[in-house]
Amino acid sequence: GAGVSQTPSNKVTEKGKYVELRCDPISGHTALYWYRQSLGQGPEFLIYFQGTGAADDSGLPNDRFFAVRPEGSVSTLKIQRTERGDSAVYLCASSTGGFYNEQFFGPGTRLTVL
Amino acid sequence: AQKVTQAQTEISVVEKEDVTLDCVYETRDTTYYLFWYKQPPSGELVFLIRRNSFDEQNEISGRYSWNFQKSTSSFNFTITASQVVDSAVYFCALILTGGGNKLTFGTGTQLKVEL
């Protein structure tokens, strides 16, 4: 079956612009996660959805970052007033829920802020 | 707060050598799960194994084996008879049963297997 998909695969933007990153989870997965991976680092947790609600957004670095999952499937990560430090690969993962379940990762969106 | 340390930044081996990737974790929780993920050059993280804190049995899957030792807070990963296709970045990760569903990753070990 289809895995987690993310669009776009690459996004180049200018400092100060607004960007949206999209994640399409595996069908039927109730849990969805966003992580951010900087060069040479492991992924860092941003936010976790169970269904439509954000169950844990403790990893969002500041109020420029926001994510939604209005129908409990596709999620969009939104970044306002982008900064050069936001440049990273943004990874999305989904699972069947439950902390112990394997998280299936998408290929990521590489965001470059010039 | 929990932490995962992978002290080996990069390891280079010749094909057919055995190699062990180290993982040390820190947590005050008594119940947790540990994971290993592989990130090949394509970038997509691939799940390898999950182990809960109550199960210290070692596990073997083909050329892969894992050694979980709670006494030293370590969860090491060994590849036997390495192959070029094993070249990737390997991440160890931790999830707490009472800490939400977020994975805490180490910084990864880049494994290069050469002919």
Side-chain angles (χ1 to χ4, degrees):
Chain A
V4 177
S5 62
Q6 293 185 244
T7 54
S9 55
N10 277 285
K11 176 71 177 179
V12 180
T13 191
E14 294 179 342
K15 180 176 178 296
K17 300 288 189 183
Y18 167 82
V19 295
E20 289 190 352
L21 312 179
R22 176 189 166 109
C23 172
D24 222 313
I26 293 172
S27 178
H29 280 190
T30 56
L32 185 145
Y33 314 81
W34 284 99
Y35 293 84
R36 179 168 70 173
Q37 186 175 19
S38 300
L39 194 62
Q41 301 296 313
E44 291 180 308
F45 171 81
L46 294 176
I47 187 169
Y48 151 57
F49 288 90
Q50 183 60 47
T52 60
D56 183 354
D57 64 357
S58 62
L60 294 177
N62 51 59
D63 60 7
R64 294 186 299 105
F65 288 75
F66 189 70
V68 295
R69 195 186 184 201
E71 298 176 358
S73 179
V74 171
S75 176
T76 304
L77 178 66
K78 308 180 181 194
I79 310 175
Q80 298 178 322
R81 304 182 305 280
T82 51
E83 298 177 357
R84 291 194 180 88
D86 299 335
S87 296
V89 175
Y90 288 81
L91 298 168
C92 177
S94 69
S95 77
T96 55
F99 58 86
Y100 48 83
N101 285 333
E102 174 192 350
Q103 295 181 22
F104 294 81
F105 282 81
T109 293
R110 182 175 298 278
L111 175 66
T112 303
V113 182
L114 300 177
Chain B
Q2 65 271 23
K3 184 179 177 182
V4 176
T5 300
Q6 294 180 256
Q8 304 151 309
T9 307
E10 186 173 318
I11 301 175
S12 288
V13 299
V14 176
E15 203 175 39
K16 297 183 184 175
E17 283 185 9
D18 298 347
V19 58
T20 295
L21 310 182
D22 297 333
C23 172
V24 173
Y25 61 93
E26 296 174 32
T27 178
R28 292 182 180 178
D29 285 37
T30 56
T31 55
Y32 47 87
Y33 278 75
L34 294 161
F35 297 77
W36 276 94
Y37 278 85
K38 174 182 180 179
Q39 189 173 44
S42 62
E44 199 159 329
L45 283 157
V46 176
F47 167 81
L48 295 177
I49 191 172
R50 170 186 55 227
R51 172 66 72 210
N52 77 55
S53 53
F54 295 109
D55 182 1
E56 288 194 66
Q57 275 194 336
N58 292 334
E59 180 154 343
I60 298 175
S61 176
R63 296 184 298 106
Y64 295 170
S65 63
W66 290 269
N67 183 331
F68 176 31
Q69 292 197 352
K70 214 167 175 179
S71 60
T72 55
S73 297
S74 65
F75 186 42
N76 296 338
F77 172 31
T78 297
I79 302 174
T80 302
S82 59
Q83 300 176 1
V84 172
V85 293
D86 295 328
S87 297
V89 181
Y90 291 85
F91 291 98
C92 181
L94 168 71
I95 201 165
L96 305 180
T97 58
N101 286 29
K102 53 187 171 187
L103 283 165
T104 297
F105 286 86
T107 51
T109 296
Q110 169 87 57
L111 174 64
K112 294 184 178 179
V113 183
E114 299 165 335
L115 292 170

